[in-house]
Amino acid sequence: MENVPNVRKILLDEEIDEQEFVEIISHIYKKDCYIYVVIPECEQELLNEVSNDFIEVNKFPLPRFFPKEMGLLGYINDSQKRYIYEFYLRSTTMDYLVFSETDVSEQLRKITKNNLDIFKMFEVNKIPHLTIGPDGQWLNVVQF
């Protein structure tokens, strides 16, 4: 029988502040917290803020944007949890955003513009991770 993921939902307050959000993530990821993301180029303010720590792996046209917008595929090792709240706030404008304590930077390099779904990479390889539900209403904690 195939290993089925165990998904636990953590409901978030509508007005959750940074301290509360960081505490929830710190409880789940006590040490490292990698942020894997495709940041649309239109998020220039965020790109400037994370520029020293964001490791760009590739650049792809984003399928949902018209006219075509480029997205930067990359990651941040946010062990200090400095950026996670910023990404949470912008999660509704980013199609691909995953938190994990596992370093999958080498596997991230295998992502192509025809297969930009980074969620699938985590599921296929049975890597525990966390995603943000629609409109930031909850967190999906996925364990295998």
Side-chain angles (χ1 to χ4, degrees):
M1 185 171 164
E2 198 170 310
N3 213 0
V4 178
N6 176 19
V7 180
R8 176 173 53 110
K9 290 188 186 305
I10 299 174
L11 295 177
L12 301 174
D13 289 337
E14 206 169 297
E15 298 294 321
I16 191 166
D17 66 18
E18 183 172 5
Q19 182 180 347
E20 290 172 294
F21 188 77
V22 170
E23 283 176 11
I24 291 169
I25 299 299
S26 295
H27 182 71
I28 298 167
Y29 300 131
K30 297 186 183 352
K31 295 180 183 174
D32 288 333
C33 179
Y34 290 88
I35 302 169
Y36 299 98
V37 63
V38 177
I39 303 175
E41 281 187 325
C42 64
E43 290 283 357
Q44 197 58 51
E45 184 182 320
L46 177 63
L47 286 167
N48 291 339
E49 185 178 332
V50 301
S51 64
N52 291 336
D53 296 310
F54 182 70
I55 299 169
E56 183 180 334
V57 173
N58 215 330
K59 192 175 194 176
F60 298 111
L62 296 173
R64 263 189 2 156
F65 285 82
F66 184 80
K68 284 291 183 196
E69 170 98 27
M70 296 301 282
L72 306 175
L73 170 67
Y75 66 96
I76 297 172
N77 181 355
D78 193 11
S79 57
Q80 301 295 311
K81 303 189 180 55
R82 294 183 335 186
Y83 301 119
I84 57 173
Y85 189 68
E86 247 344 280
F87 279 95
Y88 163 72
L89 291 176
R90 298 166 191 262
S91 64
T92 58
T93 63
M94 295 185 212
D95 289 340
Y96 306 103
L97 174 61
V98 178
F99 298 107
S100 181
E101 66 184 348
T102 306
D103 180 358
V104 295
S105 55
E106 287 305 312
Q107 291 171 310
L108 202 63
R109 298 180 192 289
K110 297 174 185 171
I111 300 284
T112 66
K113 70 178 182 179
N114 296 328
N115 185 19
L116 196 53
D117 187 353
I118 61 177
F119 305 115
K120 188 172 184 175
M121 176 186 71
F122 282 87
E123 290 173 11
V124 166
N125 294 298
K126 297 183 179 13
I127 300 167
H129 61 282
L130 182 146
T131 61
I132 299 170
D135 297 329
Q137 298 170 340
W138 67 81
L139 301 175
N140 296 306
V141 181
V142 182
Q143 298 287 339
F144 292 91

